[in-house]
Amino acid sequence: MIEKKLFGRTGHLSTRVIFGAYALSEATQRDADCVLELLLEYGVNHIDTANMYGDSEKLVGSWMKKYREHFFIATKTRKRRSKGTWADLQQSLKLLQIDQIDLLQIHGLTGTIGWQEVMQPGGTLETFTKARDKGLVRFIGVTGHGIKAPEMHLRSLENFPFDSVLVPYNFALMQKPRYAMNFETLANLCHQYDIALQTIKAIACRPWGDHPRTYHTYFYEPLDSQEVIDLAVHWVLGNPQAFLITAGDILLLPKILDAASRFQSRPAEEEMKTLVQTFDIQPIF
């Protein structure tokens, strides 16, 4: 089974691996049911989805009649103003077939203009807090892709006590000094205020080139052998603060869960440097 840890100050004892339901965005119900069996086998009790992930919310919703009490459900919106945010929230509740979302997240908040829209009166954050007051949402988070994510999350946390953040995190990316500095500053702040630290892109290898894409991972070509996935996953889990959100392809999910179930310690730095050189791993941002 996969190790569990309190998810920040939410009180949820979460598996340190969270199912990234982008993997279901083009899946069939049969695919989704196979994924459900796998999640239950490994004890995964936390799902991260989003309104814009194709059929993901609908497929996760099909599990909720029987398994709502088992899963902590997180979803997201990209909307920056109240009207669109409220519409997304209502649609998410309907598709997920639940009365309350455990964690609602402002998605991809790394641009200055969008950040200003979200934070001002009539913006997404105001709508989120009203939804929380109405009991439609329990906790509020913020997510970000790209090199600016940790820095922008620090700015966001200066303005609102978010319950969780989500950032890219892997060995190759942390070799960028400025990114590593901002990530560590963010991680220290999360530790101080008991904010859940979610991470993505654990098994990213390099940006997709011109060759045909063999996996559904949107931003990047993934590592795909069990041996190298083990190293990448174990490196992330070697940070005791980190929660790892699985990659966006159901073919990779069994390997990630298998790796996580066998985690004992973080691989040595020299071993990770050899991995980077052998597989020509490149930061994707």
Side-chain angles (χ1 to χ4, degrees):
M1 300 296 278
I2 294 169
E3 178 188 0
K4 292 180 180 177
K5 174 182 172 66
L6 281 173
F7 189 70
R9 54 179 173 253
T10 67
H12 173 58
L13 189 62
S14 174
T15 42
R16 291 192 61 206
V17 171
I18 297 167
F19 172 53
Y22 179 79
L24 297 178
S25 56
E26 295 181 6
T28 65
Q29 186 65 58
R30 184 174 182 178
D31 292 333
D33 292 343
C34 290
V35 167
L36 173 61
E37 291 180 11
L38 193 63
L39 298 180
L40 295 175
E41 177 185 343
Y42 281 95
V44 174
N45 64 357
H46 191 145
I47 296 172
D48 178 84
T49 185
N51 185 271
M52 71 290 298
Y53 290 175
D55 288 333
S56 170
E57 287 187 328
K58 179 181 178 182
L59 293 170
V60 170
S62 72
W63 306 340
M64 290 301 102
K65 184 175 181 180
K66 186 173 181 180
Y67 292 104
R68 177 64 185 105
E69 296 303 315
H70 180 80
F71 290 110
F72 184 95
I73 303 296
T75 192
K76 317 180 189 77
T77 179
R78 282 192 185 276
K79 299 299 192 300
R80 302 307 189 221
R81 304 297 294 161
S82 178
K83 184 177 179 180
T85 299
W86 189 254
D88 274 5
L89 171 59
Q90 294 299 317
Q91 184 179 31
S92 290
L93 288 165
K94 180 180 179 181
L95 290 174
L96 289 166
Q97 300 184 48
I98 57 180
D99 297 323
Q100 185 183 60
I101 292 166
D102 295 308
L103 175 66
L104 187 58
Q105 301 164 102
I106 304 170
H107 194 37
L109 193 60
T110 54
T112 301
I113 294 174
W115 189 92
Q116 292 171 342
E117 286 186 301
V118 162
M119 295 296 172
Q120 68 188 20
T124 295
L125 183 57
E126 182 181 274
T127 307
F128 274 27
T129 57
K130 288 180 179 178
R132 185 179 60 184
D133 292 344
K134 291 177 180 291
L136 300 176
V137 174
R138 296 176 61 209
F139 304 104
I140 296 173
V142 62
T143 80
H145 294 270
I147 206 76
K148 292 176 63 178
E151 183 178 359
M152 289 301 292
H153 288 346
L154 287 167
R155 183 179 178 186
S156 294
L157 288 169
E158 289 178 354
N159 284 265
F160 185 81
F162 287 97
D163 299 297
S164 69
V165 297
L166 183 156
V167 288
Y169 185 58
N170 58 51
F171 179 81
L173 186 56
M174 289 294 285
Q175 305 315 297
K176 288 180 170 288
R178 183 173 178 83
Y179 188 89
M181 178 185 70
N182 287 329
F183 179 91
E184 293 298 343
T185 302
L186 177 64
N188 289 336
L189 190 67
C190 288
H191 178 73
Q192 181 179 355
Y193 291 102
D194 204 11
I195 299 163
L197 179 63
Q198 304 177 94
T199 67
I200 54 175
K201 309 298 186 282
I203 64 168
C205 184
R206 64 181 68 87
W208 278 117
D210 296 329
H211 55 283
R213 298 189 176 193
T214 51
Y215 293 99
H216 192 53
T217 43
Y218 183 73
F219 286 102
Y220 61 89
E221 179 181 346
L223 301 167
D224 62 358
S225 73
Q226 187 67 63
E227 181 180 4
V228 297
I229 286 176
D230 284 359
L231 290 173
V233 167
H234 294 174
W235 188 85
V236 172
L237 294 180
N239 179 338
Q241 275 186 267
F243 291 88
L244 184 158
I245 297 179
T246 61
D249 192 297
I250 57 178
L251 295 178
L252 297 167
L253 182 63
K255 296 179 180 180
I256 296 171
L257 296 180
D258 181 49
S261 72
R262 292 181 285 102
F263 169 70
Q264 293 183 335
S265 62
R266 172 174 268 189
E269 184 168 351
E270 287 304 315
E271 193 171 12
M272 296 304 295
K273 287 180 178 178
T274 299
L275 176 69
V276 168
Q277 293 171 357
T278 302
F279 290 89
D280 188 27
I281 296 174
Q282 304 165 17
I284 62 173
F285 302 117

